[in-house]
Structure formats: C-alpha cells, structure tokens
Amino acid sequence: MDGLAALLDGPRAQGAFLLRCLMDAPWSVRLQDESPLTVTAIVRGHAWAIPETGVPVRLEAGDVAIALGPDHWTVSDDPDTRPQAVIHPGQVCRTPDGRELEEEMHQGVRSWGNSAVGETVMLTGAYMVEGEVSRRLLRALPQFLVLRAGELRSPLVSLLADEIVKEEPGQDAVLDRLLDLLLIAVLRAWFARPEAHPPAWYAGHADPVVGPALRLLQHHPEHPWTVADLAAAAGVSRASFARRFNDVVGEPPMGFLTGWRLALAADLLRDPGATVASVARRVGYSTPFALSTAFKRERGISPRDFRALVAFA
C-alpha cells in the first residue's frame, strides 16, 4: 500500500468520533480533546476556525479543515464569541465551568448542538489513534490547514452529511470509510498545491523511474527485494536506478524499504492477535529474531516491549 492507501489501514476511522453539529449564533466550541487528527467540514452556513497559534480563518460551506493534535483550537460563529462548550479528551463535552453538556445538546442520531436545525451545520470526525505509517505522511502537513470547496471538487462532504444521520446495518463502517475517503481527497488536493511540501517519497510516485519501484516496495514489503530487482522493474541500470532513487526520495532504496517495513510492523503490532512471527513474515523478515534486531536497532526497543508500551498507552 502507498502512503495514502495506508490511511485506510493505518489510523483508520474505525472507532473514530463522528458527529454532526447544528449551531445557531452566538456559539463557540473549544476543542482540546488532543485527538491525533481531526477533520471538520462545513455543510451549511459558516464558521471561524481559530488555531492555537495563527490567524482565524473563515470557513464556508464545502470547506474542510484538518487539525493535527495535540494542539487545541476553537471553532465559532465569530472570532470574538467566547467558548460556551469545551471538548475534552475522550470527547467529553462540558461548559467552561465544568457542567456536562452531552444530553443537554443532543439533537438526534450522531447530532449535537444548540439548535434542532442549525444556521451552521458542520461534520467533525476525530481519529483516535495515529498509525506509524500515516505519521510518515501527516508530519509533512502544517498543524492546521484549510482546503476550500473549489479546490476539493468532491461530493464526499454532501455524501457524508446524508449518511451520518442514518441508522442502518453496517452504518458505522460506511461512515468510517467515507471519513477516510474525505481525508484522502483533502490530502491529495493539499499536496497538489505549489506551496505544499509533500514527503519526497510521496512526490516520487510521479517519477517515471522511481514511481514504479516505490509502488512495488510499498505494496509488497514482504518480497526479498534487491536494488537489481527494482532497477529491472524500472527498466534502467542498477547504478542509474540507485542514483535516481536517492536523488528523488532522499535515501537509498534499501534504506527506504527498511523504514517502511518497520513502520508497517509497528502498526501491525498494535493488533493484540498478531504475533511477532506473523508480523515478521508480513513485512519481509525471515524470522522473528531478524525483525526484533532491526526494530530494536531503529527504535531502541524490542517489538514485544513496543507492543506492551502501546497497550499501556
């Protein structure tokens, strides 16, 4: 899987907090839940997004904002409106003086706000877990970004707005995937901006020599790749391929492969049902010992200790 595809298998919206917010002015919500990643889309009306640092940004219908945790930020009808609700870790909602608001502002299926209709309607999805693979992509983003409706050119916001209020079999899975797809659409559009700084390996997918090799490495990390194999697949000499890959990606092919394998292994180790041996096979290490040696050399901790640390967190 490539970096964007890994978002469907990395942090993944499974278990994400997903809500439709219906608000009439004046309103202001302080988000200090510290989720690793939050996606907010405006369906109707407008809102002001106010990051912890930086200037307030007005959001219109169809606009999407992405905030990376653990930074706090505020969304409101006006930058001067004082927060009336605060979202804490675990998606606990209280007034600034500590009064619970979950029941008071409940407005039906996955809906919340100070109005039953809402002059402004927003969709908010918060990812609870950040994957090791996705971090390689998301760390290239600013802490807070806004993509305008005209840049996104996607029906996903409207589709998610229609689906979020339904209660049908499998609906949570449908919403999880729609949220994932919206995030991927936003990232694609963002990294296409001239001023964006995507990771070198992400940009490398467009290179006629490096791109095919990157896809082979990312989709089939279990294969015993050599530089000669990759050069042959790219149709160039081994020396030319190695030089081109290093120039485009910023590291040698085998160095990139090692980092990719270990990032995948870290994500797979979060599954309590996976053994170190099964993870080793899936990411291209012949034995659990080989994976453990590489993992500890790279991260300073064994796979088993890493798993215990993640489970404790």
Side-chain angles (χ1 to χ4, degrees):
M1 69 190 79
D2 62 33
L4 281 179
L7 287 170
L8 295 174
D9 229 20
R12 198 174 181 122
Q14 186 173 359
F17 175 80
L18 189 58
L19 194 68
R20 182 180 68 148
C21 300
L22 311 168
M23 310 299 289
D24 285 347
W27 61 272
S28 179
V29 180
R30 177 76 171 158
L31 294 125
Q32 51 188 54
D33 58 329
E34 302 184 359
S35 299
L37 185 150
T38 301
V39 181
T40 300
I42 308 300
V43 178
R44 181 171 67 236
H46 77 274
W48 283 87
I50 308 166
E52 188 87 327
T53 59
V55 298
V57 180
R58 183 180 168 106
L59 306 176
E60 304 288 352
D63 293 348
V64 180
I66 291 182
L68 302 185
D71 285 7
H72 301 168
W73 60 293
T74 301
V75 60
S76 65
D77 71 302
D78 185 275
D80 293 330
T81 304
R82 296 179 63 84
Q84 300 147 349
V86 180
I87 310 299
H88 297 274
Q91 303 306 319
V92 175
C93 181
R94 298 190 178 100
T95 61
D97 61 5
R99 180 166 52 85
E100 294 278 355
L101 284 174
E102 182 177 354
E103 292 300 323
E104 180 179 329
M105 298 185 74
H106 179 73
Q107 298 292 350
V109 177
R110 302 185 191 88
S111 298
W112 177 93
N114 66 4
S115 169
V117 177
E119 298 169 341
T120 293
V121 178
M122 300 178 296
L123 308 177
T124 295
Y127 286 77
M128 299 293 104
V129 177
E130 182 184 30
E132 296 291 326
V133 169
S134 65
R135 188 176 293 123
R136 294 164 64 93
L137 182 70
L138 298 179
R139 67 189 176 193
L141 297 173
Q143 286 299 113
F144 190 86
L145 68 88
V146 172
L147 196 75
R148 300 300 182 184
E151 297 176 272
L152 187 58
R153 296 193 301 275
S154 170
L156 284 166
V157 172
S158 296
L159 184 56
L160 186 57
D162 290 340
E163 291 289 335
I164 198 170
V165 294
K166 295 181 181 178
E167 283 283 44
E168 297 181 5
Q171 193 65 15
D172 286 345
V174 169
L175 294 173
D176 286 347
R177 299 294 69 77
L178 286 174
L179 181 58
D180 281 331
L181 292 171
L182 177 59
L183 174 59
I184 288 175
V186 170
L187 294 183
R188 278 178 172 170
W190 178 262
F191 284 135
R193 284 182 167 188
E195 72 274 19
H197 299 286
W201 57 262
Y202 176 89
H205 277 269
D207 186 272
V209 172
V210 174
L214 279 170
R215 285 185 281 277
L216 288 172
L217 294 175
Q218 292 179 317
H219 285 268
H220 302 287
E222 77 287 351
H223 188 82
W225 294 109
T226 65
V227 175
D229 292 335
L230 297 168
V236 297
S237 71
R238 176 176 173 172
S240 295
F241 171 76
R243 184 168 54 251
R244 178 79 169 186
F245 193 100
N246 195 71
D247 288 346
V248 172
V249 179
E251 61 181 324
M254 294 300 102
F256 173 83
L257 177 59
T258 296
W260 184 255
R261 282 172 166 169
L262 295 178
L264 286 173
D267 277 349
L268 292 170
L269 287 166
R270 295 176 183 274
D271 179 358
T275 65
V276 175
S278 68
V279 170
R281 287 193 299 271
R282 289 184 64 179
V283 301
Y285 286 92
S286 57
T287 65
F289 178 77
L291 172 61
S292 295
T293 300
F295 199 95
K296 190 166 185 177
R297 181 173 59 244
E298 178 78 13
R299 295 170 179 262
I301 187 173
S302 72
R304 286 187 174 84
D305 289 343
F306 173 82
R307 167 179 277 169
L309 187 65
V310 170
F312 180 77

